[in-house]
């Protein structure tokens, strides 16, 4: 949560961060980890602190965001496992809500998250690419809807002047949200796979051929 006056800058951060994650998440993995760590830390800090004033809420968001970003970047190698766990949890949460219109059992969510983390560590490159593409596309759409002051897909404005974002709360009947999410994620994953090599970096341009004198 944030004061209503900060809703637009926060939405811009979500939109820009989502686009970076979706299309260049593998190449800027540390930056993406830091950005999502900041968002997660700010969200947790403001939720725990509560709405007790504009200045206090902003300070709590900044402090929580910085701590979250530092911890996420410091845990660079753990980040792959966290992406796998988060991606598996997100898929389970979305599928469960779509089919049963309720939250999945906590025990099942924990098991799926652990399995997702273990699977992620075995196929790092693909997990980073698809994880950042899927997470980035979700964040991009949420940021765009927040900029449009939409009241769908988890975007909400509280009546007390506090802006609240529910990042995992799209309505089960909003099939278009899921279609747009998956389509954008697929495009982002294809872009990342076409611009990175299997060795983990950007594709290198071939060196120009050396010109020499013909042999006599």
């Amino acid at each position: 949560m944030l004061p209503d006056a900060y809703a637009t800058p926060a939405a811009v951060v979500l939109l820009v961060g989502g686009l970076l994650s979706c299309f260049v998440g593998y190449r800027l993995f540390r930056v993406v980890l830091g950005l999502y760590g900041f968002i997660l830390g700010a969200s947790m800090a403001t939720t725990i602190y509560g709405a007790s004033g504009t200045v206090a809420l902003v300070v709590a968001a900044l402090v929580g965001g910085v701590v979250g970003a530092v911890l996420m970047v410091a845990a660079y190698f753990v980040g792959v496992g966290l992406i796998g766990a988060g991606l598996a949890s997100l898929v389970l949460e979305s599928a469960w809500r779509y089919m049963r219109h309720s939250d999945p059992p906590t025990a099942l969510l924990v098991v799926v998250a652990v399995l997702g983390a273990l699977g992620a560590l075995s196929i790092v490159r693909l997990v980073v690419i698809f994880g950042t593409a899927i997470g980035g596309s979700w964040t991009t759409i949420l940021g765009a809807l927040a900029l449009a002051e939409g009241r769908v897909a988890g975007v909400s404005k509280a009546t007390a002047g506090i802006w609240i974002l529910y990042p995992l709360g799209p309505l089960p009947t909003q099939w278009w949200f899921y279609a747009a999410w998956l389509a954008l994620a697929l495009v982002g994953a294809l872009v990342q796979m076409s611009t990175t090599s299997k060795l983990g970096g950007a594709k290198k341009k071939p060196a120009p051929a050396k010109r020499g004198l013909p042999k006599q």
Side-chain angles (χ1 to χ4, degrees), residues 83-168:
I83 282 185
L87 180 58
S89 301
L90 180 62
V91 171
L92 175 64
E93 180 93 12
S94 302
W96 199 279
R97 286 196 178 200
Y98 182 78
M99 293 185 296
R100 301 200 176 187
H101 309 296
S102 62
D103 294 326
T106 303
L108 178 61
L109 195 60
V110 171
V111 171
V112 170
V114 172
L115 293 177
L118 294 176
L121 294 175
S122 63
I123 46 174
V124 175
R125 178 176 177 266
L126 291 179
V127 168
V128 171
I129 288 178
F130 281 95
T132 53
I134 291 175
S137 64
W138 187 280
T139 309
T140 298
I141 296 175
L142 285 181
L145 291 173
L147 281 176
E149 296 184 352
R151 297 182 178 273
V152 294
V155 181
S156 173
K157 277 191 177 181
T159 56
I162 301 298
W163 183 73
I164 303 174
L165 180 71
Y166 301 99
L168 295 178

Side-chain angles (χ1 to χ4, degrees), residues 9-20 136 139-145 147:
V12 171
V13 171
L14 290 175
L15 180 61
V16 175
L19 289 173
L20 286 176
T139 309
T140 298
I141 296 175
L142 285 181
L145 291 173
L147 281 176

